Amino acid sequence: AGGLGALGGEQVEGRQAVRELLRAGTRRVREVWLAEGIEEVKAVAEITAAAREAGVRVRSVGRGRLDAAAGTSAPQGVLAFAEPVPEADLADLARRRAGAPPPFLLVLDGVTDPHNLGALLRTALCAGATGAVLGRHRSAHLTPAAVKAAVGAVEYLPVALVSGVPAALAELKAGGVWTVGLDVDGDQPLWGLEVAIQPIAVVLGAEGRGLSRLTRQRCDVVVDVPMQGPLGSLNVAAAGALACFEVARRRRE
């Protein structure tokens, strides 16, 4: 469970993210700002048309004012103010539904870089994930940078916010969801993950330290990406992309 607004996401920046916000229609948009003199490229024209269709006010403001209000360094001359992203319920994400694919969740245990968070949410959605789970503490939430990096994924992928990831994993397991951790010291390779066709939660740890001790203990399986060359690990967003699409590959088979 959760309360509206804790996830963030009220300020959406960047042309693609704002366009998807308006297209999705999943939350109310109060106003859209366009920088004065912005080039009328396709994405900007689509934003203007979508806002008009939804009855959302579009304001032309000075670029300096827009940039000063932005939470990212490159808002691309576009900024929207919306209702926050609503929290999903963890038990609801774990529930199997008739005629739908088994739950496929992405669980993030302490990912703190908003760009990694946004990239992971976008990747998970594109791989067919049905939801994501974030820790309430010591984790990135839906800041303007994360929402921009997600390029619209936050409008379509339900996200649950939990007080503790280990406890959430225990709840998922009790609900029949396989919990699969990804770590450089995994017990078996990621490739050929047999439980991918079952209800599954792919669990990723923080940048640098990986899975916490308790989170690792709560995972049914811990896998790794077989590495070659002198470097010992991948960026969490890259590792997460491999894991998500390995689940997608196994499900297609």
Side-chain angles (χ1 to χ4, degrees), residues 170-190:
E171 183 177 339
L172 290 173
K173 290 171 71 171
V177 177
W178 282 84
T179 54
V180 179
L182 188 65
D183 196 76
V184 293
D185 296 319
D187 304 317
Q188 63 186 67
L190 167 65

Side-chain angles (χ1 to χ4, degrees), residues 57-173:
R57 180 186 181 190
V58 177
R59 292 184 60 189
S60 179
V61 302
R63 186 171 290 272
R65 183 183 178 190
L66 188 147
D67 288 344
T72 66
S73 60
Q76 301 175 311
V78 180
L79 194 157
F81 301 95
E83 289 183 342
V85 174
E87 290 181 41
D89 182 81
L90 183 65
D92 191 52
L93 293 185
R95 188 172 296 118
R96 296 196 69 158
R97 290 173 170 79
F104 170 14
L105 308 179
L106 178 70
V107 181
L108 303 182
D109 177 30
V111 170
T112 57
D113 186 321
H115 299 92
N116 283 335
L117 171 58
L120 283 163
L121 294 177
R122 181 183 186 185
T123 295
L125 181 68
C126 291
T130 57
V133 180
L134 306 180
R136 190 177 298 276
H137 309 291
R138 296 183 295 279
S139 296
H141 292 165
L142 299 184
T143 63
V147 173
K148 184 170 183 282
V151 197
V154 300
E155 314 306 333
Y156 303 100
L157 186 69
V159 181
L161 198 60
V162 297
S163 58
V165 169
L169 295 181
E171 183 177 339
L172 290 173
K173 290 171 71 171

